[in-house]
Each structure stands twice: as C-alpha cells, then as structure tokens.
Amino acid sequence: MMLLRMIILLLVAMSLGDAFLHQPRSKCFTKTALHASTSSSSSSLRRPTPSRISQTDNFRDAKDLSQKFINDYEHLHKSNRAEKKKIAIFGGGLSGLSCAKYLSDAGHEPILYEARDILGGKVSAWQDEDGDYIETGLHIFFGAYPNIHNLFKELGIEDRLQWAPHRMTFAMQELPGEFTTFDFPEGIPAPFNMAAAILRNTQMLSLEEKIRMVPALLPMLLEGQSFIDAQDEKSVLQFMNEYSMPRRINEEIFIAMGKALDFIDPDKLSMTVVLTAMNRFINESDGSQTAFLDGNPPERLCQPIKEWVESKGGKVVCSSPVVEIVLNEEDGTVNSLILANGNTVTADYYVSAVPVDVFKRLIPTQWSTLPYFRQLDELEGIPVINIQLWFDRKLNSVDGLCFSRSPLLSVYADMSNNCAEYANEERSMLELVFAPCSPDAGSPINWIAKSDSEIVDATMKELERLFPTEIGLNVISDKRANLVKSTVVRVPRSVYAATPGRNKYRPSQVSPIENFVMAGDYASQKYLGSMEGAVLSGKLAAEVICDKVMGRSNRNGLKTVHSSILESELKERAPIGIMGNSPTTFGGGQQGNFNNP
C-alpha cells in the first residue's frame, strides 16, 4: 500500500509540477522577483498563521500533553491525593522556561534560576549602546514545531510570529546574484505540495536525480520513526552511498541542509537529522513554512513565559548561577543546590535545564560512576557564529530565509524585511549564520578563534557573490551598499553536535535519581537540537515530575544506557566546577574575546 502511495504521489506531483494553475516550472530569479512583499514587517498586515499547522497529529499530541497538566491542576485542587510541590530548575533557556510553565500549569511551584542577567539561553539577545538588539542566533520557527505553536497559542502571542511565503530559497552557486526556489503550492495537501515544489524546480536537480532520491526516502515513509532513528549511526554521505544517491544531491541540497540544521558538514552529520526534517516537511502541509519572531526573544517570547509562571505562584530569578549540586550521602538524591552567591536552594524536585557542556561540570562525584551520567561524555556542543550587518541603504534582498550555499555561510535573512523590531524602508540589516566554523564541524579554518574583523571581512567577501550589483568595490559608489556597523557573536558550545551515533547517548528525562530530572534539547526527544526540541524536552521533564506526584508511571521511563558505557570501567571523578562568569561559561553567545569553556 505504501509503495502504491509513493508511486501515485510521484505521478500526481509530476502532473502538479507541470499543470498546477498552468504555471511555468521554477527558474532562476533575481532578488527583485523574489522580493514579493517589500518590508512586510513594517506593515500592520501580516500573513496569518497557516491553518493546517493545528491539524497534524503532532500538534494534537502536543495539545493533549498541555491538557494533561491542566487536568493535574484540577485534580490537585479537588482531592487530597497529591500536593503542591516545589521544584528548583536551573537554566533559563527555552527548555527551563517550558518546564517551569507547565509545572505551574499543573499547580506546582517552580523556581527557575538563570545564571545570566537575561533569559533565553541560546535565543538570548541584548541591547548595545545604539539600542540595537544583538542576537545569539538567527532563529527560525517552522510550521512543524507543534509544541512551540501550542505554547504561543497558550500564551496568547501567536500574532508575534511573522510568516514568510511558503518557499525554500537557495542561492545559485554558479550564477552570482541569482536564486532558485522550491515553491509550495497553496491549497495542496502534504505530501503532494512538497513533491510538486521539488519537481517544479528544474534548476538544482534533474528529473533523473529526483527520481533516484525515491528509493532512499521510501523506507522513511514505510517505516517512519523507527527507520529514521536507525540511521543515526550513518553520516549523510554514508547514507547516500548506501542508496546510490547522486553526488549532486549532496552538493545541491544536503550541504545546505546540514549547515542550517546543525552547523556541520554532511560528512560529519547524522542522517537522522536530515531525515527528521524531511519527514516533517513531507508529512505536514505547512511543516516547512517559516516564521520570524517580531522582536528580540527575551522580550517577545521569554518574558511572557516568565510572567505566566509568576502569575501562578512560581518564580524566575536571573543572575543566579548554580555552582554545586549537594547530595544526600545515604541514597545519592539531591539535598540542595548551591548558588554562586553562597545561598542554598532546597526543593522537592530538581531539574537541570542547562546545556550538556555546563551540566557535565556539575556532576557530583557520587554520580560520576553512574552510566546514566557518564554517557554524557559522548555529547558536546557544536560551535557557531552569528553575524549582524547594518548597511547604509536598502538591499534588494530575498523575502524570508535564504540558503546561501556558501562555503562559509549557512543561512541568512534581511531582518529589515522580516522582523518588525528591525523594520526599515531605507536600510537593510542582514543576520547570517557563519558555519561550519571549526575543524571539528568541517571547516579547514578555526574561525571561532579569529578576530571580528577577519570574520566580517570573510563574510563581506561572500556577500559580494550574493549581491554582486550592490556589495563590493566593483560596484560603482553611488549604487554600492556600504557597511556601517557589524556584530559578531560566538557560541563555542551551541546545540549538541549531531554526529553519527550520538542519539544512543542522549539521556531520558527520567533519571536514576528519584528527585532529579533532566531537560535540555540534548535530552531524548524526536526534535533533536532545536527550539522545538528544547521546549518539548522541558515539557517532558515537567511531565515526569507530575507523574511522580500523581503516582503514575512515566510513559517514556528510564532509557537504557548503551552497552559501550555499561561495559566500560567507570572511575570516580570530582566535578570540574563552573569557572568564570562570561556568557560562554554558561553555554551562551558572547561578543569579543572569550575563554573557550
């Protein structure tokens, strides 16, 4: 049946590709043709939330889990079976905030401790002396983010997402200044809309190359998540070789996807990452459509969560790094947390929502021989650089996200068109992801250690290819866009590096310690290292605690640790501890010089 479905899909999509609304096949465009809605962010009119986002099984599952916390709250106030608990959460990124939000929904008292003076973790931002917000990263919200979209709806802030046209735009490497798109036809359901988008584009892959992709994707459709998970031991290139996929698919598509999804080249990236994204995009009609937040994340997303938590009796405390986890000697459970200011925090339950590289420095000696915690040695964050460039005039830029297909840059967007806070009819501000930026991620140069000027100069050189009639000394002065300001933010340990074989080491939210729960995007959940993964992981951590309080068994339970850890000799070791107080110490991004933690 599934094979028949795939054949029918291919035939129908080919028909759509040629005949849908009698439109011609996709071809190369200049940015003028793609700039469909000039400065839409500055207009009061915004594209509505795609209606089909709320019609997916994943969205309904996320909604049901949200309702579970509300049901627990009602039960808590109607019976004496359970009681309100105090939960200490350390880490104020999306995972910690999500955990606090849903614990407060269930009637408990979460107290969240964030090390820095701003919330958001890897989505944090701060103002400079000019009043401009400096971003840790270019944050894109996909339609296939069900828990995030439920969260926005629950907070009443859905209108803060600015939706771009439903297309994927790629720069043409061999044609400077020109772009090609995969346009998803409106009103066509998944998976036909994606198939039509792929087949109608004739610039990046030939029809033969597209057809040769089918045998590799067919098992994903037939077997679903089990097949996707099983590919984690293979790199993208190993998977391609196994299924005899043409090399050009890597050059045209997978390199760009790998750098956008995990800041890493395909020869070092787990195929599970690519298949996870493709599975959502194929099966959800609006899954690949993208949106931008209309302002800086701390104010437009984190602050509403903080206010929600505090309105229900919880607390969110900044500038309060946890420096030690104190245990009860008799059973190894958590006795308390020690803050940098010397204060002691006690609670009924404790949740770590800090990045894996930070948590590993805090693991108590007594826990260091437990396989659950030792497996974290196999996980570490990947470096990435975020760049913002302000120009003295308006660039003729693409409306929405663009895959640069540059050896240095991943994706970029003109935020003066896509974000209300940066809206400007006269000047552009480009935000770009510089990746890979270290040898471990695939770069021949360790860019993370280079100076700001070297990074900006290299970026501007790449932009001469993307904007050949507007940027560079070859452009006549009265038409040239000049750089007036730049910022470089380095994140030496961003999301966990999704190299082959990492999934088996990702811990469950349930831990072997009765009163300790793990959150963070690196903890086990199907959305990997993403904003959606962070929110879901925090939500699942909250569910673990609510299940314990209500006397329920957790549906996911304690994940079995891989045999390679169980069979190794695990010697005690003391925690390294938290050294320094810079943003990068706590897993964030930082301007200027820093010590790599």
Side-chain angles (χ1 to χ4, degrees):
M1 181 61 70
M2 282 300 299
L3 179 59
L4 178 61
R5 178 173 180 260
M6 191 69 183
I7 295 171
I8 293 174
L9 163 62
L10 186 60
L11 293 174
V12 172
M14 289 176 69
S15 175
L16 286 170
D18 286 323
F20 180 71
L21 296 182
H22 302 288
Q23 295 178 355
R25 289 182 181 270
S26 177
K27 56 185 179 182
C28 291
F29 295 96
T30 62
K31 289 183 287 294
T32 301
L34 289 174
H35 192 56
S37 55
T38 304
S39 294
S40 60
S41 62
S42 62
S43 170
S44 59
L45 296 177
R46 295 186 184 178
R47 296 179 183 89
T49 301
S51 61
R52 295 175 294 188
I53 283 176
S54 60
Q55 298 171 13
T56 67
D57 289 340
N58 285 314
F59 185 92
R60 285 186 282 268
D61 289 344
K63 184 177 181 180
D64 288 345
L65 181 52
S66 294
Q67 184 62 43
K68 182 177 179 179
F69 298 110
I70 296 172
N71 294 343
D72 279 3
Y73 172 83
E74 294 174 351
H75 185 88
L76 193 68
H77 284 73
K78 289 180 181 179
S79 73
N80 295 321
R81 179 185 172 191
E83 59 182 12
K84 183 176 183 177
K85 298 295 182 181
K86 179 179 178 181
I87 299 99
I89 305 166
F90 52 106
L94 290 182
S95 194
L97 288 166
S98 170
C99 185
K101 191 268 184 191
Y102 290 107
L103 284 169
S104 68
D105 284 352
H108 298 298
E109 182 188 355
I111 304 179
L112 185 150
Y113 297 91
E114 164 54 36
R116 301 165 64 191
D117 59 358
I118 51 174
L119 294 171
K122 293 179 178 65
V123 302
S124 62
W126 53 92
Q127 280 183 294
D128 65 7
E129 62 275 8
D130 300 324
D132 293 319
Y133 270 92
I134 310 306
E135 304 265 5
T136 300
L138 176 57
H139 306 295
I140 305 300
F141 295 80
F142 284 98
Y145 278 1
N147 289 281
I148 280 183
H149 293 304
N150 268 278
L151 177 62
F152 271 74
K153 187 171 185 178
E154 292 156 16
L155 295 171
I157 59 172
E158 286 179 289
D159 61 346
R160 297 186 182 186
L161 288 177
Q162 296 181 212
W163 289 93
H166 196 179
R167 67 166 70 106
M168 300 179 76
T169 304
F170 292 77
M172 296 296 289
Q173 289 179 309
E174 66 281 7
L175 298 172
E178 296 193 8
F179 295 76
T180 187
T181 64
F182 294 90
D183 293 284
F184 290 70
E186 293 184 12
I188 302 298
F192 303 111
N193 63 340
M194 184 176 186
I198 292 173
L199 289 166
R200 289 173 58 197
N201 182 294
T202 60
Q203 297 301 310
M204 291 181 67
L205 296 174
S206 68
L207 178 60
E208 178 187 355
E209 288 166 334
K210 294 169 187 175
I211 292 174
R212 288 178 63 185
M213 290 179 68
V214 173
L217 299 182
L218 186 58
M220 178 184 72
L221 293 174
L222 288 169
E223 303 173 37
Q225 194 64 42
S226 61
F227 176 79
I228 293 171
D229 291 341
Q231 309 315 304
D232 187 56
E233 300 296 323
K234 303 167 189 170
S235 72
V236 174
L237 291 187
Q238 288 172 332
F239 180 89
M240 289 183 62
N241 291 335
E242 181 177 331
Y243 285 91
S244 301
M245 297 175 75
R247 275 285 181 180
R248 251 174 49 87
I249 294 174
N250 181 57
E251 296 165 1
E252 298 290 297
I253 303 293
F254 287 160
I255 289 177
M257 286 188 68
K259 291 169 64 170
L261 292 169
D262 203 61
F263 319 130
I264 195 169
D265 279 344
D267 61 325
K268 298 179 181 294
L269 180 66
S270 163
M271 189 62 193
T272 290
V273 176
V274 172
L275 290 176
T276 295
M278 294 186 73
N279 190 42
R280 297 276 61 81
F281 295 168
I282 288 174
N283 287 296
E284 297 182 12
S285 299
D286 298 316
S288 59
Q289 191 161 357
T290 57
F292 297 80
L293 194 61
D294 66 1
N296 70 89
E299 285 188 359
R300 303 301 287 169
L301 174 55
C302 301
Q303 184 64 23
I305 302 176
K306 177 179 182 290
E307 292 172 356
W308 181 282
V309 170
E310 293 178 339
S311 73
K312 293 176 177 287
K315 296 179 182 177
V316 177
V317 185
C318 289
S319 302
S320 300
V322 170
V323 296
E324 185 180 356
I325 302 171
V326 180
L327 305 184
N328 295 307
E329 290 187 9
E330 63 274 13
D331 60 5
T333 56
V334 181
N335 174 276
S336 58
L337 304 175
I338 306 298
L339 303 182
N341 63 9
N343 289 346
T344 298
V345 173
T346 59
D348 296 302
Y349 293 95
Y350 301 83
V351 179
S352 171
V354 297
V356 64
D357 298 284
V358 177
F359 180 73
K360 287 190 290 187
R361 292 176 170 271
L362 294 170
I363 296 174
T365 302
Q366 193 172 340
W367 286 359
S368 66
T369 57
L370 298 179
Y372 175 89
F373 295 105
R374 188 57 67 88
Q375 68 184 331
L376 301 182
D377 287 355
E378 303 298 325
L379 303 175
E380 66 176 26
I382 195 79
V384 67
I385 298 172
N386 194 63
I387 301 170
Q388 289 168 265
L389 303 175
W390 285 260
F391 292 89
D392 64 355
R393 65 180 62 203
K394 193 74 171 178
L395 294 168
N396 186 22
S397 51
V398 168
D399 185 8
L401 184 71
C402 181
F403 293 83
S404 72
R405 300 176 74 209
S406 153
L408 297 182
L409 305 175
S410 169
V411 291
Y412 75 89
D414 189 339
M415 299 302 281
S416 69
N417 295 332
N418 294 292
C419 176
E421 188 161 63
Y422 299 113
N424 193 317
E425 298 284 350
E426 299 178 354
R427 298 186 175 192
S428 285
M429 191 278 276
L430 297 186
E431 189 164 352
L432 312 99
V433 178
F434 194 111
C437 61
S438 74
D440 288 343
S443 171
I445 298 173
N446 187 23
W447 287 103
I448 199 88
K450 294 290 185 179
S451 67
D452 284 5
S453 60
E454 289 174 302
I455 293 169
V456 171
D457 287 347
T459 301
M460 290 296 293
K461 195 68 178 175
E462 290 299 309
L463 290 180
E464 290 181 18
R465 179 179 64 85
L466 296 170
F467 298 87
T469 62
E470 298 170 275
I471 294 177
L473 295 178
N474 292 329
V475 180
I476 57 175
S477 59
D478 63 341
K479 294 183 179 295
R480 184 189 308 146
N482 299 299
L483 184 66
V484 296
K485 177 179 173 179
S486 64
T487 61
V488 175
V489 175
R490 298 168 180 80
V491 188
R493 291 287 182 266
S494 184
V495 295
Y496 77 94
T499 54
R502 296 310 96 191
N503 271 356
K504 60 178 174 287
Y505 301 117
R506 296 172 65 203
S508 53
Q509 284 74 27
V510 175
S511 86
I513 308 302
E514 176 58 29
N515 66 345
F516 178 81
V517 180
M518 190 75 79
D521 61 12
Y522 65 92
S524 189
Q525 40 73 29
K526 65 182 180 180
Y527 288 93
L528 308 173
S530 64
M531 291 188 292
E532 171 68 11
V535 168
L536 175 56
S537 185
K539 198 172 183 179
L540 293 174
E543 182 187 29
V544 170
I545 293 172
C546 290
D547 286 344
K548 288 177 180 286
V549 173
M550 301 298 291
R552 299 184 296 248
S553 59
N554 183 259
R555 58 194 171 120
N556 297 314
L558 180 63
K559 180 181 172 183
T560 302
V561 176
H562 192 259
S563 58
S564 62
I565 304 296
L566 295 174
E567 295 169 2
S568 60
E569 183 181 0
L570 306 180
K571 296 181 180 180
E572 276 194 357
R573 60 190 185 196
I576 298 172
I578 303 297
M579 295 176 286
N581 58 3
S582 68
T584 56
T585 299
F586 305 110
Q590 183 174 328
Q591 292 174 270
N593 296 325
F594 64 92
N595 292 320
N596 197 336

